Amino acid sequence: MIALRRESPNAALVVIDLQNDFCPGGALAVAGGHEIIPLINRLIGSFEHVVLTQDWHPAGHSSFASSHNGQAPFSSIQMSYGSQTLWPDHCIQGTAGAAFHPGLDLPHAELILRKGFAREIDSYSAFFENDRRTPTGLAAYLRERGFRRLFLAGLATDYCVAYSALDAIGAGFDVAVLEDACRAIDLDGSLAWAMREMRHAGVVIGSTENVR
């Protein structure tokens, strides 16, 4: 288990998809998504190094239910890379829904990594698209900067946060997910699955209160 210490120069905070469409009133709202903003802002203020991720879909993205005749949001279909949950249209490039929540304090974020912009493939993880083979380049950026310890927070626990945490572990980083600074969708048991998989992989499940 890694210590939840942020002082090390090789530590970075990664804030996942804190965008309007994932907050109440948005197209794919995560229950209580707005509640984590004060916690995230305190974290951003206490970390020297901050990375943000941003869902950034083109209109008509293949993960949208509206792109498939007769399919409803939250159903699943088989894509070339495996099973894909179909979502309401969300985080479309350049729209207000894709923008970061206005309450998010962003003064010294060093990188905004946009994902999900390839029309034919979704991207939950900040490290790989959903084919599990196409990298986003984030791992190389973090290594080049000398980061080895990552603290993750944001939306949603059981999708983009969990997939990012698992891929970060697979890439050799030490990873802590700050559970109180995340919120989940919990679709058909997805939260229980995500927590089990993260713990099994060696992700530390911590709290913002434990970060020193």
Side-chain angles (χ1 to χ4, degrees):
M1 179 177 290
I2 66 172
L4 298 183
R5 302 194 66 83
R6 57 173 169 74
E7 293 93 340
S8 170
N10 66 7
L13 173 67
V14 183
V15 179
I16 306 290
D17 297 359
L18 228 173
Q19 297 165 255
N20 289 324
D21 267 346
F22 295 129
C23 291
L28 183 50
V30 179
H34 64 300
E35 297 170 353
I36 66 175
I37 292 171
L39 291 174
I40 297 284
N41 284 341
R42 284 200 290 273
L43 288 169
I44 289 174
S46 65
F47 274 82
E48 182 179 357
H49 304 291
V50 179
V51 170
L52 306 174
T53 73
Q54 188 176 23
D55 243 18
W56 198 248
H57 297 307
H61 192 267
S62 62
S63 71
F64 295 166
S66 63
S67 298
H68 304 271
N69 289 334
Q71 295 293 334
F74 308 108
S75 62
S76 295
I77 64 169
Q78 287 296 312
M79 305 284 274
S80 62
Y81 50 84
S83 180
Q84 171 67 51
T85 299
L86 297 179
W87 305 106
D89 293 24
H90 67 280
C91 295
I92 295 173
Q93 297 169 2
T95 66
F100 291 112
H101 190 284
L104 192 61
D105 192 14
L106 304 175
H108 68 281
E110 297 169 353
L111 175 72
I112 295 172
L113 181 119
R114 287 174 166 170
K115 59 189 180 66
F117 51 78
R119 187 178 301 276
E120 298 305 320
I121 186 168
D122 206 2
S123 185
Y124 298 153
S125 171
F127 292 86
F128 285 95
E129 294 186 343
N130 281 8
D131 62 0
R132 318 305 306 137
R133 296 188 303 273
T134 305
T136 66
L138 181 58
Y141 169 86
L142 293 169
R143 290 194 191 102
E144 183 79 11
R145 294 288 312 278
F147 300 126
R148 293 293 177 265
R149 176 173 298 173
L150 306 180
F151 294 78
L152 271 59
L155 303 171
T157 314
D158 43 343
Y159 283 92
C160 296
V161 173
Y163 279 81
S164 297
L166 292 169
D167 283 343
I169 286 283
F173 297 96
D174 291 331
V175 182
V177 167
L178 304 175
E179 187 178 10
D180 60 328
C182 302
R183 291 293 184 274
I185 295 174
D186 202 12
L187 180 64
D188 298 328
S190 57
L191 179 58
W193 172 87
M195 299 303 289
R196 182 174 62 250
E197 292 296 311
M198 287 193 289
R199 288 190 172 103
H200 179 73
V203 176
V204 173
I205 307 299
S207 165
T208 57
E209 294 180 355
N210 303 129
V211 178
R212 299 289 184 267

